[in-house]
């Protein structure tokens, strides 16, 4: 039997609309945003420090956003991401 990605996700995280799946979707969207910020910054050839200065934040804030340190990914989500 071949399992589709959607079937696999439903089995691991539950069907769409459940609290667990909704939480996963929010966490993945946050991940996408961090990646998009990093890509846009790099495309503009800006350092984290330059971006931070431009938006009046600390460089460490930019680093945390880009590297997901601000995200509190739940244990089940982390396990699903690495398995």
């Amino acid at each position: 039997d071949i399992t589709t990605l959607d079937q696999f996700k439903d089995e691991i995280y539950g069907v769409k609309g459940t609290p667990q799946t909704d939480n996963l979707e929010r966490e993945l969207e946050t991940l996408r945003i961090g990646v998009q910020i990093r890509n846009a910054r790099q495309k503009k050839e800006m350092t984290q420090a330059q971006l931070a200065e431009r938006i009046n934040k600390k460089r460490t804030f930019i680093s945390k956003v880009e590297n997901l340190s601000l995200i509190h990914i739940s244990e089940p989500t982390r396990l699903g991401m690495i398995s």
Side-chain angles (χ1 to χ4, degrees):
D1 270 346
I2 296 177
T3 302
T4 67
L5 178 58
D6 286 336
Q7 290 170 326
F8 178 75
K9 285 177 15 182
D10 289 350
E11 183 180 322
I12 300 298
Y13 298 109
V15 293
K16 196 170 190 112
T18 61
Q20 188 175 6
T21 303
D22 290 345
N23 188 45
L24 171 66
E25 292 296 327
R26 279 190 302 277
E27 291 171 352
L28 290 175
E29 183 59 26
T30 303
L31 170 72
R32 286 193 234 11
I33 291 168
V35 169
Q36 289 173 338
I37 290 170
R38 179 186 306 126
N39 289 342
R41 176 183 61 75
Q42 289 174 338
K43 186 176 180 180
K44 294 284 187 178
E45 298 181 352
M46 294 177 73
T47 66
Q48 288 181 344
Q50 290 168 326
L51 176 57
E53 183 177 327
R54 187 168 185 171
I55 64 170
N56 199 27
K57 293 287 183 184
K58 294 183 179 184
R59 187 208 55 81
T60 54
F61 174 82
I62 302 301
S63 177
K64 288 176 182 177
V65 169
E66 290 183 356
N67 295 298
L68 309 178
S69 298
L70 295 179
I71 302 173
H72 302 289
I73 297 176
S74 63
E75 188 65 24
T77 301
R78 267 192 302 245
L79 293 173
M81 291 173 82
I82 60 174
S83 58

